[in-house]
């Protein structure tokens, strides 16, 4: 599970061009992370949101924001 969450977080940061506060779109993140199962993606996105690594998500995680702590978590 952590490997998948890390892959998704990496895709989020790439889509946001490494800029905290940037909005990203689920479809692009899923493509970047090589995911096809939207429900699995939403489960991972909920986990990332619980950790504070993404914020400001709409109800189905179609659009959300990467946080500074999400970027820090990824790059250390």
């Amino acid at each position: 599970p952590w490997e998948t969450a890390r892959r998704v977080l990496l895709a989020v940061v790439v889509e946001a061009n490494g800029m905290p506060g940037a909005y990203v779109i689920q479809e692009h993140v899923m493509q970047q992370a090589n995911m096809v199962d939207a429900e699995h993606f939403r489960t991972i996105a909920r986990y990332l949101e619980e950790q504070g690594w993404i914020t400001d998500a709409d109800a189905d995680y179609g659009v959300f924001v990467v946080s500074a702590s999400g970027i820090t978590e990824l790059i250390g």
Side-chain angles (χ1 to χ4, degrees):
W2 167 239
E3 297 82 23
T4 304
R6 185 168 174 77
R7 189 174 77 231
V8 171
L9 183 57
L10 174 60
V12 169
V13 171
V14 167
E15 280 299 310
N17 293 314
M19 300 190 55
Y23 282 87
V24 297
I25 300 170
Q26 173 185 342
E27 181 181 330
H28 297 169
V29 173
M30 286 182 66
Q31 288 173 352
Q32 194 71 247
N34 294 318
M35 291 188 78
V36 293
D37 183 344
E39 187 56 42
H40 186 217
F41 174 83
R42 285 189 287 277
T43 300
I44 297 296
R46 271 192 296 280
Y47 169 76
L48 297 177
E49 187 174 36
E50 288 167 2
Q51 303 308 307
W53 300 334
I54 66 170
T55 62
D56 201 22
D58 64 10
D60 64 355
Y61 296 95
V63 177
F64 52 91
V65 172
V66 64
S67 69
S69 64
I71 293 170
T72 300
E73 175 64 28
L74 190 64
I75 62 175

